[in-house]
Amino acid sequence: VLEIADASFLNGTDYTIFVLEKRESNKSNNYFIGDANSANEGNTNQNLTLGYSLNGAIKHSQSSDNTYNALISDYSSSAGAPRIFSFVSDLSKGKKTYINGVLAGESANTDPLTGITALKIGNEYKGQIGEIAIFTKALRNSERKSVEDYLGKKWSSKILRDSISG
C-alpha cells in the first residue's frame, strides 16, 4: 500500500484521475484508490474511493451520499485484460467515469472534496496497477483522450472507445 500523506491538494478543486490496472480477482470492495473503511467514509466529500465495489461495478465515491457506480463486465469475461479508467470531477458539470475511453457512468453531483487528507493506493486491491496520473483540473475531452491514448500505447492496452469490456 502506498499512501500519499498529504492529499489536501484535491480539496476544493476539479480533478481527473487516470488508473491503468489489471484486476486479478472478482472480489467486492477491490479499490485501487482509497479506503472504504476510512474513518472519513461516513463524512461526505472527505474520502476518495475508486475501484471495484462489486464484481461488475466500478465505484467513484467521495463518501456517504456522493457515490455512484458504473457497470462493467464481470471478472470471468475480462480476466487478464488491462483497463484504463478515467475519473473526472468537474465542479460545474458533475462527475464522469470512462472505461477504455467510453463513458460508463456519471453523476450530476458537483460537490468538491473538502476534507481529504491522505490517499491510499492499492489498499486491499487484488490486481496490478501500472500507472496512476492525477490532474487538479477537469480535463477537456480532447485532453482526456490524449492521456488515454498515451497510456494505451505505453502499456499496450487497446483503447477501443466502443466497448468497456476489454
Side-chain angles (χ1 to χ4, degrees):
V1 176
L2 172 66
E3 185 166 333
I4 299 173
D6 183 6
S8 62
F9 66 92
L10 289 169
N11 288 319
T13 187
D14 293 336
Y15 61 80
T16 303
I17 299 175
F18 296 92
V19 179
L20 182 128
E21 64 84 43
K22 182 169 62 172
R23 70 176 168 166
E24 297 173 346
S25 169
N26 66 353
K27 111 185 209 353
S28 297
N29 299 320
N30 194 17
Y31 301 113
F32 25 84
I33 293 181
D35 181 3
N37 297 314
S38 165
N40 286 334
E41 179 60 23
N43 301 325
T44 302
N45 303 318
Q46 294 187 14
N47 188 40
L48 182 63
T49 306
L50 306 173
Y52 299 94
S53 60
L54 300 169
N55 182 29
I58 288 294
K59 180 179 182 178
H60 180 179
S61 174
Q62 290 184 188
S63 298
S64 193
D65 61 351
N66 192 350
T67 298
Y68 70 97
N69 282 301
L71 299 179
I72 191 166
S73 58
D74 65 20
Y75 177 70
S76 63
S77 64
S78 63
R83 288 193 177 106
I84 297 173
F85 290 93
S86 308
F87 300 94
V88 181
S89 177
D90 186 319
L91 301 182
S92 63
K93 297 179 183 174
K95 296 171 179 56
K96 294 183 178 184
T97 298
Y98 296 86
I99 303 169
N100 290 342
V102 177
L103 180 63
E106 59 188 319
S107 168
N109 185 291
T110 57
D111 293 342
L113 287 163
T114 57
I116 191 166
T117 56
L119 196 60
K120 289 186 178 179
I121 309 289
N123 185 46
E124 296 187 33
Y125 173 69
K126 302 293 183 209
Q128 300 175 39
I129 297 173
E131 189 161 341
I132 294 175
I134 301 174
F135 294 82
T136 54
K137 68 181 249 182
L139 296 183
R140 296 187 315 264
N141 279 335
S142 60
E143 294 171 318
R144 176 186 52 79
K145 288 176 182 179
S146 291
V147 174
E148 291 166 347
D149 289 342
Y150 165 77
L151 290 172
K153 288 176 186 168
K154 180 178 178 183
W155 293 96
S156 299
S157 178
K158 285 188 175 183
I159 300 298
L160 302 175
R161 300 208 198 284
D162 62 357
S163 169
I164 62 172
S165 62

